Amino acid sequence: MADSNTTDLSNPSTFILLGIPGLEVAHVWLSIPFCAMYAIAVLGNFTILFIVKREPSLHRPMYYFLCMLAVTDLVLSTSILPKMLASFWFNSREINFSACLTQMYFVHCFLVMETGIFVAMALDRYVAICDPLRYSTTLTNHMVVKIGLTVVLRGGMFVLPYILLARRWPYCRTNIIPHSYCEHIAVVKLACADTHVSSYYGLFVLLSVIGLDVFFIAVSYIQILRAIFNLSTKDARLKTFRTCSSHLCVILAFYIPALFSSLMYRFGHTVPLHFHVLIANVYLLLPPMLNPIIYGVSSKQIRDRLLRLFTHNGT
């Protein structure tokens, strides 16, 4: 095994995923919370999709964007967890080189798509609160489709260079990835070439895509909060704020772990590797689990439809 991992691997047929380095003996135990998070994410997001599809009164832009978020969360979590569990439970650590690049593409593409959906949801709340008279004419079904296509195309195009660059690097050091999935930085670090282009492009995407999305979301919510505080009564302010509180919670649940993980990879060289990998796993699995719970609890429309569904089935 040692020889096969250190010979010429310019075109490796497979990579070896270590899982969570340093915590191999705890892989089975760690799989339990990860599996629970995934099960809740799948159940919750499919429930959101089912309720929105079943209830004509929810066929509005806000819930269309919520469905886009649910689909994105399902693909994002499914792209990493089955292989991770196979590694933890059955010691199936090998992954084909092309499959590894495919997994990398799906993970990063849907991360970019998710942050784009947050911008669309912030736009929806901005128009609904700051310019409600033009809401139905601004966010038409046609406009929602165009926004959705833009989010998908942007994610696909911005992440494609990750894969093209990773495919052209020679891998002659080792084919062992010290991670539980094919994370971009973890794979590129295995190349025995000057990979600064990949690093610079990753930083470009972080600043130009994620950074701009955060900026637009912040500007939208500054305007939203100004409009809320200008309302005449306290009850009106509280009611209006509740309509966007779930979106704020979802944004924080996504961006805080993602930012923490990104900063650790670039600057936290003294942080243990297993902590890096754990945080990277959490920030991909936690938001898909939390998003349907947050919207199910805070959205009266979804909560009422869910209760009605259970009541109907019970009777």
Side-chain angles (χ1 to χ4, degrees):
M1 178 65 76
D3 292 339
S4 66
N5 292 334
T6 56
T7 53
D8 183 11
L9 296 166
S10 297
N11 295 296
S13 59
T14 59
F15 282 125
I16 307 294
L17 294 168
L18 285 187
I20 302 177
L23 297 178
E24 287 84 358
V25 296
H27 275 176
V28 174
W29 295 107
L30 288 171
S31 69
I32 296 174
F34 287 150
C35 190
M37 292 167 72
Y38 179 66
I40 295 171
V42 170
L43 178 63
N45 285 294
F46 270 118
T47 301
I48 293 288
L49 293 171
F50 175 77
I51 290 176
V52 174
K53 181 180 184 301
R54 188 180 176 118
E55 291 293 333
S57 62
L58 299 181
H59 294 178
R60 291 182 284 159
M62 174 182 175
Y63 297 100
Y64 291 150
F65 292 136
L66 181 56
C67 287
M68 294 180 198
L69 183 64
V71 172
T72 302
D73 283 338
L74 286 169
V75 176
L76 188 60
S77 55
T78 302
S79 64
I80 68 163
L81 199 84
K83 180 59 183 176
M84 188 192 307
L85 293 180
S87 174
F88 286 180
W89 291 346
F90 309 112
N91 205 31
S92 175
R93 299 183 177 183
E94 290 191 358
I95 183 169
N96 181 273
F97 180 67
S98 297
C100 182
L101 295 184
T102 302
Q103 186 187 57
M104 183 196 304
Y105 180 79
F106 270 86
V107 168
H108 293 279
C109 176
F110 279 84
L111 279 174
V112 174
M113 285 172 56
E114 183 142 348
T115 186
I117 293 170
F118 288 145
V119 176
M121 296 173 82
L123 173 65
D124 172 82
R125 291 300 84 203
Y126 169 78
V127 177
I129 294 173
C130 299
D131 198 5
L133 296 179
R134 297 179 58 186
Y135 182 82
S136 58
T137 57
T138 301
L139 287 175
T140 61
N141 289 342
H142 182 65
M143 178 60 67
V144 171
V145 171
K146 288 172 65 175
I147 292 173
L149 289 175
T150 301
V151 168
V152 172
L153 291 175
R154 187 188 73 152
M157 290 190 298
F158 270 100
V159 174
L160 186 60
Y162 281 175
I163 311 306
L164 298 178
L165 288 170
R167 181 175 285 277
R168 66 185 292 267
W169 300 129
Y171 298 91
C172 54
R173 290 196 181 102
T174 179
N175 65 339
I176 297 177
I177 302 176
H179 214 294
S180 56
Y181 64 91
C182 291
E183 201 274 337
H184 175 246
I185 298 176
V187 173
V188 168
K189 281 183 177 181
L190 303 183
C192 54
D194 185 359
T195 59
H196 282 91
V197 175
S198 288
S199 298
Y200 292 148
Y201 184 74
L203 187 60
F204 165 75
V205 171
L206 181 66
L207 295 177
S208 64
V209 178
I210 312 299
L212 282 177
D213 286 351
V214 172
F215 173 76
F216 288 134
I217 291 171
V219 170
S220 297
Y221 269 92
I222 288 172
Q223 297 300 318
I224 289 170
L225 290 175
R226 288 179 57 186
I228 290 174
F229 288 127
N230 286 334
L231 294 174
S232 57
T233 65
K234 182 179 179 180
D235 288 342
R237 288 194 291 269
L238 288 174
K239 183 178 179 180
T240 307
F241 182 76
R242 278 197 293 268
T243 63
C244 56
S245 60
S246 55
H247 185 217
L248 279 173
C249 293
V250 166
I251 288 173
L252 293 176
F254 176 81
Y255 282 114
I256 290 177
L259 179 62
F260 189 53
S261 178
S262 179
L263 291 175
M264 277 205 313
Y265 261 113
R266 297 184 184 279
F267 306 110
H269 302 298
T270 59
V271 178
L273 180 59
H274 65 266
F275 192 71
H276 279 279
V277 178
L278 278 172
I279 293 298
N281 288 327
V282 166
Y283 98 81
L284 289 184
L285 294 173
L286 185 65
M289 180 191 74
L290 290 179
N291 291 348
I293 295 175
I294 292 171
Y295 277 104
V297 170
S298 61
S299 173
K300 186 176 184 300
Q301 292 89 340
I302 292 178
R303 190 170 64 248
D304 289 347
R305 269 65 178 185
L306 187 60
L307 290 173
R308 187 187 307 168
L309 178 65
F310 282 120
T311 303
H312 177 73
N313 288 340
T315 57

